[in-house]
Amino acid sequence: METLFAPWRLTYLMSGKPQGCIFCEALARPDDPETLIVHLGERVFSMLNRYPYANGHVMVAPVAHEDRLSASDPATREELIDEIARAESALASLYRPGGFNVGANFGRAGGAGVEDHYHFHVVPRWDGDTNFMTVTGGTRVIPEDLPVTRRAVAAAFESTRGGR
Ligand SMILES: [Zn+2]
């Protein structure tokens, strides 16, 4: 994966680690738009990344505070892959990206920003987006659009079941 130039992430990197678990804190008040949850399932949920690599950067995580995929029961894993498919469909219909990056980092050595509560990133990609973002870098447009993005992505989740 190419490195994206995302200057707004500097705020995150400079602000130190958040207290507590951002996923469990969001789940404590799922209806609060500030938490950026876009879909809450039975065992898994999706929320926007507050410091996105691209517009529509969604994180899919289990409701249970678990640090590894291998710690989740089979029903959770099944719902998780369905949720990722649903995120893919929702973002495809909303943003028409040329592709996606889907992946997870486990543990500090694996590069996880939140080590104790695993999550998959679903990042829409466009041909040439690295160049585009370099050119427009320096502005902080994306974070300020988050409430709008949250409403749009939540609506897109509602209108898809993850199929084609
Ligand atoms: Zn947690």
Side-chain angles (χ1 to χ4, degrees), residues 34-94:
E34 273 296 301
T35 65
L36 301 178
I37 289 178
V38 291
H39 181 251
L40 178 58
E42 192 181 334
R43 298 178 181 83
V44 304
F45 71 107
S46 297
M47 64 188 261
L48 294 180
N49 191 320
R50 194 171 295 280
Y51 304 101
Y53 282 111
N55 206 17
H57 179 170
V58 163
M59 299 182 295
V60 179
V63 168
H65 183 88
E66 292 169 331
D67 66 345
R68 291 286 194 279
L69 186 58
S70 53
S72 288
D73 58 33
T76 301
R77 291 186 224 170
E78 188 178 327
E79 194 179 324
L80 186 86
I81 203 76
D82 279 351
E83 184 79 355
I84 291 170
R86 193 163 171 171
E88 181 199 311
S89 289
L91 295 171
S93 66
L94 193 59

Side-chain angles (χ1 to χ4, degrees), residues 14-163:
M14 303 279 286
S15 66
K17 295 204 103 177
Q19 301 294 313
C21 172
I22 59 165
F23 297 102
C24 291
E25 282 171 7
L27 283 166
R29 44 195 180 97
D31 297 326
D32 182 347
E34 273 296 301
T35 65
L36 301 178
I37 289 178
V38 291
H39 181 251
L40 178 58
E42 192 181 334
R43 298 178 181 83
V44 304
F45 71 107
S46 297
M47 64 188 261
L48 294 180
N49 191 320
R50 194 171 295 280
Y51 304 101
Y53 282 111
N55 206 17
H57 179 170
V58 163
M59 299 182 295
V60 179
V63 168
H65 183 88
E66 292 169 331
D67 66 345
R68 291 286 194 279
L69 186 58
S70 53
S72 288
D73 58 33
T76 301
R77 291 186 224 170
E78 188 178 327
E79 194 179 324
L80 186 86
I81 203 76
D82 279 351
E83 184 79 355
I84 291 170
R86 193 163 171 171
E88 181 199 311
S89 289
L91 295 171
S93 66
L94 193 59
Y95 294 114
R96 309 263 169 224
F100 290 93
N101 291 124
V102 177
N105 305 317
F106 296 99
R108 186 188 299 270
V114 179
E115 293 175 57
D116 299 336
H117 197 145
Y118 80 83
H119 49 283
F120 279 76
H121 297 271
V122 181
V123 184
R125 297 296 302 268
W126 289 263
D127 288 330
D129 58 7
T130 309
N131 293 335
F132 173 77
M133 293 173 83
T134 302
V135 168
T136 60
T139 59
R140 298 179 57 197
V141 173
I142 290 178
E144 271 130 46
D145 252 345
L146 280 175
V148 175
T149 304
R150 190 198 65 81
R151 280 195 297 277
V153 174
F157 262 81
E158 278 312 304
S159 62
T160 183
R161 298 297 307 170

